[in-house]
Amino acid sequence: MTEAPQGSYGAPQPGPYGPYGYPYPPMQMGTNTLAILALVFAFVFAPAAIVMGAIARRQIRRTGEQGMGLATAGFVLGIVFTALSVLWIIAVVLFFASAVHQINDHNTGGALALGAARAYFGF
């Protein structure tokens, strides 16, 4: 009886090929966690999304992970929502400052007018 040459039959040999001679599929890197968090935090706490998006973009360029679009979207939305929030706060402060000023003018204006009438007419 003749034996088969070593390696031609039997157990698959180690190497870049899987069973039956097909190559293993390339390893895919997962999605960067900070990229996902950047997009989520853009709607929850926008300034944190800016920081997370910037860090995620740097990590993705260095490691080759997936998620560059998520990181960019989180970064941009974080900037937009932060700017809108700042504008909203400024508008609310100006509204209340104007309202307080008008109330003070109304209350003080009447007292000054009465005081001026008293001084003029000698009450």
Side-chain angles (χ1 to χ4, degrees):
M1 232 174 155
T2 61
E3 291 186 25
Q6 192 70 310
S8 61
Y9 300 107
Q13 298 297 314
Y17 295 100
Y20 310 109
Y22 294 109
Y24 286 115
M27 292 287 292
Q28 289 193 351
M29 299 290 288
T31 303
N32 185 288
T33 304
L34 275 179
I36 297 169
L37 289 175
L39 187 59
V40 170
F41 271 83
F43 298 100
V44 177
F45 185 64
I50 297 171
V51 175
M52 289 181 195
I55 293 171
R57 287 174 50 85
R58 194 174 316 126
Q59 285 179 353
I60 290 168
R61 278 194 298 269
R62 191 182 71 239
T63 63
E65 289 178 297
Q66 301 294 314
M68 182 63 85
L70 293 173
T72 302
F75 182 75
V76 170
L77 286 175
I79 290 172
V80 169
F81 290 152
T82 299
L84 289 175
S85 297
V86 168
L87 290 174
W88 175 254
I89 290 169
I90 290 171
V92 168
V93 168
L94 289 177
F95 173 77
F96 280 110
S98 174
V100 168
H101 182 71
Q102 285 182 354
I103 290 170
N104 285 338
D105 279 352
H106 178 70
N107 291 340
T108 308
L112 287 177
L114 182 58
R118 282 185 183 161
Y120 183 76
F121 292 111
F123 290 118

